[in-house]
Amino acid sequence: MKTFKTYLLIAVVLLTSCNLLAQDRLNKIIESGELRVGMTGTQPPFSMKTKKGEIIGYDVDLANLLATSMELKLKIVEMPFAELIPSLNEGKIDLVISGMTITPTRNAKNAFAGPYMISGKSILTKSKVLANATNPQDINTNIKVVTLQGSTSQRFAEKHLTNVNLLLVTDYEIAINKIINNESDVMVADYPTCAYAMLKYPNSDLVVLNKPMTIEPIGIALPSNDALFVNLVDNYLESLMATGVLDMMEQKWFENPYWLLQL
């Protein structure tokens, strides 16, 4: 029969092994000199493409700041939203910065740094009646709803909008155009995405909710077994918050429309 000391020794060995693994993975990032950040490139104003094909946005700026702070070269890896967490867990990317909401389900499998922003579920529509909604049941009628596949908006719609005709797309621009072209009645998305659509298409009769229907923290997704890496990213993120850099970035991307000229 194993003694208490034996179990204690096993526990110490396991904890030491986990710490070494975390340190080893962080060391690999440092040795490579590269920080691989996953994002969609299709979630304005978090990330989107310019006319020249360059990727810009709030999350792009944040990724650049983190990489520069860590003295690493930034490598942005673009992929559909639904592939971000699987790619992170498979080691294809080092972290995810893509307007990702911190949920209990995601946090049960992955660590998160932040939040770096507080958002909430809203809708984009042409209907002033629907835009007066105060809760999901106000729009849970026989209408066409579009949202991003693999997102918390999809889960929100599937949970609360059981009487609608739900369409899933891989790109918010597709969803926005479906509202503009009257192919869907409502787009469910985080408030910043809805606000972006209003800025970009001011003459398309688009309206959004006065207040989001939920409160959702947005953070940086990281591997669950990289405690030292999580600590490092969280410390840099806290520094950016404390110095007011994130506030300036929010003004740039969510209040100032001039960057739209690049699209």
Side-chain angles (χ1 to χ4, degrees):
M1 181 179 294
K2 291 181 174 145
T3 65
F4 174 76
K5 288 185 178 180
T6 303
Y7 283 116
L8 182 60
L9 179 60
I10 293 173
V12 170
V13 170
L14 288 174
L15 287 172
T16 302
S17 298
C18 289
N19 287 334
L20 288 174
L21 177 60
Q23 188 173 5
D24 182 60
R25 293 189 62 172
L26 178 56
N27 285 338
K28 286 181 179 178
I29 294 172
I30 296 172
E31 289 170 5
S32 70
E34 184 176 76
L35 184 67
R36 301 171 301 169
V37 178
M39 64 179 67
T40 64
T42 59
Q43 289 175 268
F46 293 106
S47 64
M48 59 256 161
K49 291 290 186 65
T50 67
K51 298 173 185 176
K52 298 179 180 180
E54 300 172 343
I55 186 168
I56 62 171
Y58 183 103
D59 285 344
V60 179
D61 282 1
L62 179 56
N64 270 299
L65 285 170
L66 286 175
T68 300
S69 299
M70 298 177 190
E71 298 183 351
L72 299 170
K73 179 182 178 182
L74 174 64
K75 180 180 181 181
I76 293 177
V77 183
E78 298 175 56
M79 63 185 71
F81 192 88
E83 295 179 15
L84 288 168
I85 290 296
S87 295
L88 175 63
N89 293 333
E90 291 168 10
K92 296 178 181 177
I93 52 179
D94 301 315
L95 51 81
V96 173
I97 306 179
S98 196
M100 183 168 285
T101 304
I102 304 172
T103 66
T105 300
R106 287 174 179 157
N107 216 167
K109 298 178 181 178
N110 291 90
F112 277 86
Y116 60 84
M117 182 181 294
I118 302 297
S119 182
K121 286 289 167 278
S122 188
I123 65 169
L124 180 74
T125 181
K126 284 187 175 182
S127 169
K128 290 181 172 58
V129 173
L130 294 174
N132 286 323
T134 57
N135 61 73
Q137 290 309 308
D138 291 338
I139 57 174
N140 191 24
T141 58
N142 187 25
I143 60 174
K144 296 178 180 179
V145 174
V146 61
T147 193
L148 184 69
Q149 183 178 14
S151 67
T152 54
S153 296
Q154 177 187 345
R155 288 195 288 277
F156 175 88
E158 290 174 341
K159 179 179 180 180
H160 298 287
L161 307 180
T162 55
N163 296 323
V164 306
N165 181 9
L166 183 62
L167 173 66
L168 303 178
V169 296
T170 58
D171 187 329
Y172 269 128
E173 282 292 344
I174 297 174
I176 293 169
N177 283 318
K178 286 190 177 295
I179 302 300
I180 292 174
N181 297 326
N182 300 312
E183 296 174 12
S184 288
D185 301 298
V186 163
M187 178 186 80
V188 176
D190 289 335
Y191 179 80
T193 301
C194 296
Y196 153 79
M198 294 277 290
L199 285 174
K200 186 174 182 182
Y201 304 102
N203 301 316
S204 297
D205 299 322
L206 299 174
V207 287
V208 299
L209 299 180
N210 290 327
K211 294 182 180 180
M213 291 182 282
T214 62
I215 297 176
E216 301 183 0
I218 296 176
I220 300 173
L222 296 135
S224 60
N225 63 344
D226 286 10
L228 298 181
F229 187 33
V230 173
N231 180 251
L232 180 67
V233 174
D234 202 43
N235 284 339
Y236 280 120
L237 194 57
E238 288 286 345
S239 298
L240 292 173
M241 291 178 183
T243 55
V245 173
L246 295 189
D247 289 335
M248 290 188 289
M249 284 171 50
E250 193 164 337
Q251 290 178 359
K252 173 184 176 181
W253 294 107
F254 294 94
E255 299 177 20
N256 191 334
Y258 291 109
W259 55 265
L260 288 167
L261 297 174
Q262 300 179 63
L263 304 184

